[in-house]
Amino acid sequence: MSRALSYAILVLTIIAFLLTAAALCTPAWQVVYAREIRQWVQSGLWLSCQTRPNGMYSCTYTFSHDDFDTYFSDEVSGFRTPSFYPWQRTLFHIYLISQAFAMLSLISFCVSVSHSESRLPNILRTVFLFLAAVIAFGCLIAFAVYSYMVEYRFFHVSVSGIYEKHRGYSWYIALTGAFVYLVAIILSVVSVFMQARNSNPTISRQNINSSLQSDFFEYQYHPNRSLESFEDRFAMRTLPPVPRQEKRRQCSNIPFYVSITRYSQFL
């Protein structure tokens, strides 16, 4: 059961990672149709694309401050693509950190397979998934707030040509990936608690077996010592607690034994 749960967490983590990567690689975070120039315009965190009137599809990208500095001019942005803003690049870099934590969670899963007795890899996997999900949700909320502001919400073609941008499929793909991360976190926490619960009886049995083996080897390699000393050591060990049902049965039989004892004394 625990192994099947671990593989389910692995599959969910991979799905969330791929969904987030697909959202980052696509430009449709904000989508607008400019009727004046008859173009669909899509602007993402680092990539902006548009359809030309002749049907041609062209894209521009930005990774540095010099790239989006030239697009602040209204004449240039009206004929090419919307302006690239610094907060878009910042969100993109933060999203990459989230993806890095997701990769670390996958590495922790690989370590947990080879060290199934240790709980540390599973705990690290849960922590990395939690950080990846928190960062992903934070970026989504930040994008929703920024994209709703007036200076980033509208696409200007001319004085009268002002069109409102809407969130596109890329944002919804990223939102789906964040929720898949959340499901993986819940299952990972359940897996950690199941491993902690199942490890305690195993540890106690291992301690008992190791102590018995140590006594056997000690007697085997020290034949001059009597066997009674080893038997005494074994007898001095604490016994397991009596089950509740057995206690109730003993308590219910006490009056019967007492009555028999009194009857025998009377005879």
Side-chain angles (χ1 to χ4, degrees):
M1 179 64 183
S2 60
R3 184 171 292 275
L5 187 61
S6 298
Y7 282 110
I9 297 169
L10 173 65
V11 172
L12 290 174
T13 305
I14 293 175
I15 292 174
F17 180 84
L18 294 178
L19 287 174
T20 306
L24 294 177
C25 294
T26 52
W29 287 74
Q30 283 182 304
V31 180
V32 60
Y33 178 70
R35 292 189 302 270
E36 186 173 346
I37 56 178
R38 293 179 298 171
Q39 292 182 6
W40 279 100
V41 180
Q42 300 174 348
S43 57
L45 300 181
W46 64 278
L47 184 67
S48 291
C49 300
Q50 66 175 2
T51 55
R52 299 289 184 179
N54 57 2
M56 185 177 65
Y57 190 77
S58 62
C59 298
T60 56
Y61 60 90
T62 175
F63 290 106
S64 65
H65 183 78
D66 297 332
D67 293 334
F68 59 76
D69 239 2
T70 58
Y71 292 97
F72 283 147
S73 174
D74 291 335
E75 293 123 12
V76 176
S77 63
F79 287 102
R80 300 187 65 181
T81 57
S83 305
F84 291 108
Y85 301 103
W87 62 269
Q88 293 174 332
R89 186 183 60 173
T90 302
L91 287 181
F92 178 72
H93 291 164
I94 296 175
Y95 247 123
L96 293 181
I97 297 175
S98 173
Q99 293 292 87
F101 281 123
M103 286 295 298
L104 290 175
S105 69
L106 295 176
I107 295 173
S108 299
F109 172 80
C110 297
V111 175
S112 66
V113 171
S114 58
H115 299 80
S116 58
E117 299 84 7
S118 178
R119 284 183 293 175
L120 182 60
N122 290 331
I123 294 175
L124 291 177
R125 179 188 61 190
T126 306
V127 172
F128 290 143
L129 280 176
F130 177 78
L131 293 175
V134 168
I135 294 174
F137 275 110
C139 290
L140 288 170
I141 294 172
F143 184 86
V145 171
Y146 273 105
S147 62
Y148 198 74
M149 293 182 178
V150 177
E151 57 268 31
Y152 311 124
R153 185 179 176 184
F154 297 98
F155 177 58
H156 298 266
V157 177
S158 61
V159 177
S160 59
I162 301 175
Y163 303 95
E164 184 180 2
K165 302 176 186 178
H166 301 280
R167 284 189 288 271
Y169 64 85
S170 298
W171 188 84
Y172 291 104
I173 291 175
L175 182 63
T176 305
F179 276 108
V180 176
Y181 274 135
L182 183 61
V183 176
I185 290 170
I186 296 173
L187 294 180
S188 183
V189 171
V190 173
S191 176
V192 170
F193 279 109
M194 288 179 60
Q195 186 183 16
R197 186 184 63 182
N198 297 332
S199 62
N200 293 330
T202 305
I203 293 174
S204 61
R205 286 195 298 268
Q206 290 177 353
N207 292 335
I208 293 174
N209 294 333
S210 61
S211 61
L212 290 175
Q213 291 176 0
S214 63
D215 290 345
F216 174 76
F217 285 113
E218 186 177 356
Y219 175 73
Q220 184 179 5
Y221 291 104
H222 297 82
N224 297 327
R225 298 179 59 180
S226 62
L227 183 61
E228 296 179 356
S229 60
F230 298 104
E231 293 178 351
D232 293 339
R233 287 172 56 188
F234 181 77
M236 291 300 292
R237 291 174 180 164
T238 58
L239 297 176
V242 180
R244 295 183 179 179
Q245 296 180 356
E246 190 67 25
K247 285 183 178 180
R248 293 176 182 175
R249 192 178 303 168
Q250 291 176 2
C251 293
S252 62
N253 294 333
I254 288 176
F256 178 74
Y257 290 126
V258 171
S259 62
I260 291 179
T261 305
R262 290 180 179 177
Y263 181 74
S264 61
Q265 290 177 358
F266 178 77
L267 293 178

